[in-house]
Amino acid sequence: MGTRVTTTTQSKLMPKVVDTILNSNVFATRVLSKASAFIGERMKFPVKYAKNTTGGSFSGFDTFSTAATDNRVNLEFVPKFYKISVSLPLDELSVNATEEKVIDLAKLEVASTAQDMADDIGTLFYSTGAGKDFLGLGAIVDDGTDAGTYGTLSRTTYSTLQSTVTSSSGVLSLAKMSTLYNAAASGSQKPTLGLCTEVVFNLYESLLQPQEQIAKSVPMMKATGNIGKAGTGFIGGTGFTGLFFKGFPILADEKATSGVLFFVNEDFIDWYGLPMAMTQPIKYRSQDIEGNDYSNVEGLGFSWSDWIKPTNSASIVGFIYLGGELISQNPKRHAKLTGITSV
């Protein structure tokens, strides 16, 4: 374009930032959007790991057993924390404060960084929870291979804490999916969500008959029952695109573990959030950013330190925190098929 135009025509800065970096974050979005409160120094969940075996038929003066049974133990979890920093120089803020401002720089930077942090959390939610990391599906949906202990308990000693983990031997089939489903289901307790990479999602779609390849919208937030659980359905609203299997959605998540298909029962998995002391809640939603899933989500329970002024530079810095833990009270109700490469 010639200088005749550039010297006589004003530029226009659009009042939106288009995100070209962040990808889908399906599982993290669903669990963080419906958080429960982390209470106390640690959270304990009593679990029953054995039956009372003193029952039996009798007649007449048969002697009954009076032995006491001890068949419960506590799963225990402590909160963990994650942080990310936001830093801005005061000279840039001074320029942004003029009447020519199109987008509020400080507000945008906080919202953008919060989304980057949630993207990090999405990756952790598929991990094994090593070190100081939050627990992820790699630890929760496991048979003791990658996470020998869960909630401070040995999965060898307490085998009912093991999830079903089945090797696909490379091939995905409807028969293998049905076997996996049956292993995690019992009566009314059934998987409510399937999670996998886009590659595995496409492989599953190829197994379906043309009349079955119907993609449906699945809301970003899970439905709630009377006690904050998954309930009997999904709440309304625009969300992710899913294919259904035995009545529940299979969703593609770019954060998912490669070659793995997870079957999760959302009645037994929750994010328990703990606000950081001396901070304020941060709104996740930003009207100034478009082009990612995060723009449609509000109030994920993150905390903001407020701006801090360093003594040795003309700048401000703040920290976004997320505290709590991803907890499943019953890993037995989840399952995964591993090593999927083809159909």
Side-chain angles (χ1 to χ4, degrees):
M1 188 173 295
T3 57
R4 289 185 301 275
V5 175
T6 59
T7 58
T8 59
T9 307
Q10 188 177 23
S11 298
K12 172 67 173 179
L13 177 64
M14 301 306 294
K16 290 278 187 179
V17 174
V18 179
D19 183 355
T20 63
I21 183 66
L22 299 183
N23 296 318
S24 70
N25 200 0
V26 176
F27 178 58
T29 298
R30 283 177 67 85
V31 295
L32 288 172
S33 296
K34 198 62 185 178
S36 301
F38 196 105
I39 302 173
E41 173 264 338
R42 65 184 59 219
M43 294 194 72
K44 297 182 179 182
F45 297 85
V47 294
K48 181 177 178 179
Y49 67 91
K51 288 178 59 177
N52 182 328
T53 58
T54 62
S57 302
F58 74 96
S59 64
F61 291 99
D62 288 353
T63 302
F64 299 161
S65 170
T66 58
T69 60
D70 190 357
N71 54 13
R72 290 183 299 276
V73 68
N74 288 330
L75 286 171
E76 298 185 13
F77 303 90
V78 297
K80 296 177 182 176
F81 298 90
Y82 195 88
K83 58 81 182 172
I84 196 169
S85 61
V86 188
S87 301
L88 287 169
L90 293 182
D91 54 352
E92 292 183 8
L93 288 171
S94 299
V95 174
N96 183 246
T98 66
E99 62 182 16
E100 298 301 321
K101 176 176 67 177
V102 177
I103 302 175
D104 187 301
L105 175 59
K107 177 182 176 182
L108 173 65
E109 195 68 19
V110 172
S112 176
T113 302
Q115 294 185 2
D116 293 343
M117 179 176 176
D119 192 68
D120 295 344
I121 301 303
T123 301
L124 292 179
F125 278 4
Y126 280 97
S127 73
T128 58
K132 300 176 183 179
D133 291 345
F134 298 126
L135 289 173
L137 292 183
I140 293 171
V141 189
D142 188 64
D143 59 1
T145 301
D146 296 321
T149 61
Y150 180 73
T152 71
L153 300 179
S154 167
R155 277 180 155 136
T156 300
T157 303
Y158 302 99
S159 60
T160 57
L161 299 179
Q162 297 179 15
S163 304
T164 298
V165 179
T166 304
S167 172
S168 71
S169 300
V171 178
L172 178 68
S173 69
L174 294 178
K176 291 178 181 178
M177 292 175 64
S178 292
T179 301
L180 190 73
Y181 172 89
N182 291 336
S186 179
S188 62
Q189 305 300 327
K190 304 171 183 177
T192 62
L193 181 68
L195 296 162
C196 59
T197 62
E198 291 177 323
V199 172
V200 175
F201 183 86
N202 291 335
L203 290 174
Y204 170 58
E205 184 177 28
S206 71
L207 294 174
L208 302 176
Q209 297 296 322
Q211 66 271 20
E212 298 174 318
Q213 295 177 354
I214 302 174
K216 300 180 182 179
S217 180
V218 180
M220 290 186 175
M221 289 177 62
K222 65 182 182 181
T224 56
N226 293 331
I227 56 174
K229 301 299 182 182
T232 57
F234 298 98
I235 64 174
T238 303
F240 307 111
T241 299
L243 294 169
F244 278 67
F245 177 76
K246 293 186 181 295
F248 67 93
I250 307 292
L251 300 180
D253 188 348
E254 289 167 279
K255 298 294 184 182
T257 307
S258 177
V260 176
L261 173 60
F262 292 94
F263 282 175
V264 175
N265 186 329
E266 291 179 288
D267 285 339
F268 297 110
I269 190 165
D270 290 279
W271 168 255
Y272 289 85
L274 178 64
M276 182 68 73
M278 302 178 68
T279 63
Q280 55 186 326
I282 179 174
K283 289 282 188 178
Y284 204 102
R285 188 183 183 107
S286 174
Q287 303 294 340
D288 299 323
I289 305 174
E290 60 184 17
N292 62 41
D293 293 336
Y294 307 98
S295 300
N296 298 316
V297 184
E298 186 171 2
L300 298 187
F302 290 71
S303 298
W304 169 240
S305 68
D306 211 344
W307 293 112
I308 302 167
K309 296 180 180 179
T311 59
N312 60 348
S313 67
S315 63
I316 54 175
V317 62
F319 297 92
I320 301 171
Y321 303 104
L322 181 64
E325 185 61 290
L326 182 67
I327 298 173
S328 174
Q329 313 92 313
N330 194 353
K332 181 180 179 180
R333 295 305 175 201
H334 314 304
K336 64 182 177 184
L337 193 63
T338 65
I340 301 169
T341 59
S342 63
V343 293

